[in-house]
């Protein structure tokens, strides 16, 4: 099919019908990834650290299977595989989350030296606002994890997933699904309008009662 065919009214209507199914599929994939969890690196702004105090380099966060609680806690080293909920000391109910903020709006990106330390952190930073001006701050390990987590958290809050990854996944999956559904219509002219509904017959004598 050429580009004009894909802009025809029936094809656009089919695309609109399929799109909510694809968005729901992407949403479930994001939430499943949050349930698996991610290891995040801690960003320290302290120049000198007390040798008597134990400082952790990593922390882990994952969503509970019922999607109601975020479990998180400090780790001494980067884990190999998933970390069990039982070993994560802290909890944050999803119902207490008020908003998701990103980039320069994050509290830990407003601290002195944070931006100078690494400007790339801006593209990987996000925070959860809960209770009275309390924040849970994140630095994603890479752009892919940043998109997965911000999408998943927005989905939990009933908001739209707006990351570049979602847009790319949506375009790819929609295109694949459209092509699969249109395979049987190859080399067939698709009309711009549905065929007219025929008039009612003058008699219904041809209808039989099976009973």
């Amino acid at each position: 099919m050429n580009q004009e065919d894909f802009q025809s009214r029936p094809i656009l209507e089919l695309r609109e019908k399929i799109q909510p199914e694809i968005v729901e599929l992407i949403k479930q994939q994001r939430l499943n990834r949050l349930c698996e969890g991610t290891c995040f690196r801690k960003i320290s702004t302290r120049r000198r650290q007390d040798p008597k105090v134990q400082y952790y380099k990593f922390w882990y966060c994952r969503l509970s299977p019922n999607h109601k609680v975020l479990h998180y806690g400090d780790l001494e080293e980067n884990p190999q595989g998933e970390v069990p909920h039982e070993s994560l000391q802290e909890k944050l109910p999803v119902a207490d989350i008020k908003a998701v903020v990103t980039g320069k709006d994050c509290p830990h990106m407003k601290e002195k030296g944070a931006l100078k330390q690494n400007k790339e952190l801006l593209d990987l930073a996000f925070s959860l606002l809960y209770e009275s001006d309390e924040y849970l701050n994140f630095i994603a390990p890479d752009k892919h994890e940043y998109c997965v987590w911000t999408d998943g958290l927005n989905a939990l809050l009933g908001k739209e997933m707006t990351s570049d990854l979602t847009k790319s996944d949506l375009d790819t999956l929609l295109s694949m699904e459209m092509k699969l559904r249109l395979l049987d219509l190859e080399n067939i002219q698709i009309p711009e309008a549905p065929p007219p509904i025929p008039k009612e017959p003058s008699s219904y004598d041809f209808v039989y009662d099976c009973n």
Side-chain angles (χ1 to χ4, degrees), residues 26-34 151 165-166 169:
I26 295 172
K27 174 184 173 181
Q28 292 304 318
Q29 188 274 339
R30 299 292 190 265
L31 294 178
N32 289 340
R33 277 290 295 111
L34 265 61
D151 281 342
L165 181 61
T166 289
D169 287 349

Side-chain angles (χ1 to χ4, degrees), residues 111-130:
E111 297 175 1
K112 291 184 178 180
L115 295 179
K116 295 180 181 179
Q117 184 180 10
N118 190 345
K119 292 183 178 180
E120 293 179 0
L121 294 181
L122 269 177
D123 295 330
L124 301 176
F126 60 98
S127 300
L128 298 181
L129 170 63
Y130 63 98

Side-chain angles (χ1 to χ4, degrees), residues 11 23 39 58 74 76 87 89 92 97 124 142 151 168-169 189 205 210:
I11 300 300
V23 171
C39 182
F58 303 96
D74 294 329
E76 294 184 12
S87 61
Q89 309 88 355
L92 173 60
I97 301 175
L124 301 176
D142 52 51
D151 281 342
S168 174
D169 287 349
Q189 183 69 29
D205 293 340
C210 296

Side-chain angles (χ1 to χ4, degrees), residues 11-207:
I11 300 300
L12 292 177
E13 289 179 354
L14 176 61
R15 185 182 178 91
E16 290 177 3
K17 182 179 179 181
I18 296 174
Q19 184 163 327
E21 302 174 14
I22 303 298
V23 171
E24 182 63 25
L25 180 66
I26 295 172
K27 174 184 173 181
Q28 292 304 318
Q29 188 274 339
R30 299 292 190 265
L31 294 178
N32 289 340
R33 277 290 295 111
L34 265 61
C35 289
E36 295 173 6
T38 300
C39 182
F40 298 92
R41 182 178 293 274
K42 284 199 165 185
I43 304 298
S44 177
T45 56
R46 300 178 183 178
R47 292 184 178 181
R48 296 180 182 179
Q49 295 182 340
D50 188 345
K52 298 180 181 180
V53 179
Q54 183 179 11
Y55 293 94
Y56 294 95
K57 294 182 179 179
F58 303 96
W59 68 290
Y60 199 90
C61 185
R62 64 183 300 182
L63 179 66
S64 63
N66 62 6
H67 300 169
K68 292 184 178 181
V69 179
L70 283 174
H71 298 263
Y72 62 97
D74 294 329
L75 299 174
E76 294 184 12
E77 56 185 20
N78 198 343
Q80 300 298 321
E82 296 181 13
V83 177
H85 295 96
E86 299 77 23
S87 61
L88 300 174
Q89 309 88 355
E90 305 292 338
K91 296 180 180 180
L92 173 60
V94 173
D96 291 348
I97 301 175
K98 295 181 179 180
V100 179
V101 295
T102 60
K104 62 182 180 181
D105 294 327
C106 297
H108 55 319
M109 290 292 101
K110 296 179 181 179
E111 297 175 1
K112 291 184 178 180
L115 295 179
K116 295 180 181 179
Q117 184 180 10
N118 190 345
K119 292 183 178 180
E120 293 179 0
L121 294 181
L122 269 177
D123 295 330
L124 301 176
F126 60 98
S127 300
L128 298 181
L129 170 63
Y130 63 98
E131 292 182 355
S132 56
D133 295 331
E134 291 289 331
Y135 286 89
L136 184 61
N137 299 318
F138 297 76
I139 297 289
D142 52 51
K143 191 65 176 178
H144 182 272
E145 287 296 311
Y146 169 86
C147 292
V148 166
W149 273 85
T150 53
D151 281 342
L153 292 169
N154 279 320
L156 283 174
L157 299 180
K159 297 183 179 180
E160 186 179 357
M161 299 179 294
T162 58
S163 75
D164 294 337
L165 181 61
T166 289
K167 295 175 183 176
S168 174
D169 287 349
L170 182 60
D171 288 341
T172 300
L173 294 173
L174 259 179
S175 177
M176 291 174 60
E177 185 66 20
M178 291 285 290
K179 289 175 182 177
L180 285 172
R181 297 199 183 194
L182 295 173
L183 275 177
D184 294 336
L185 298 178
E186 188 174 2
N187 298 323
I188 296 178
Q189 183 69 29
I190 301 176
E192 283 292 331
I197 300 175
K199 296 180 180 180
E200 292 189 16
S202 58
S203 172
Y204 287 90
D205 293 340
F206 59 86
V207 179

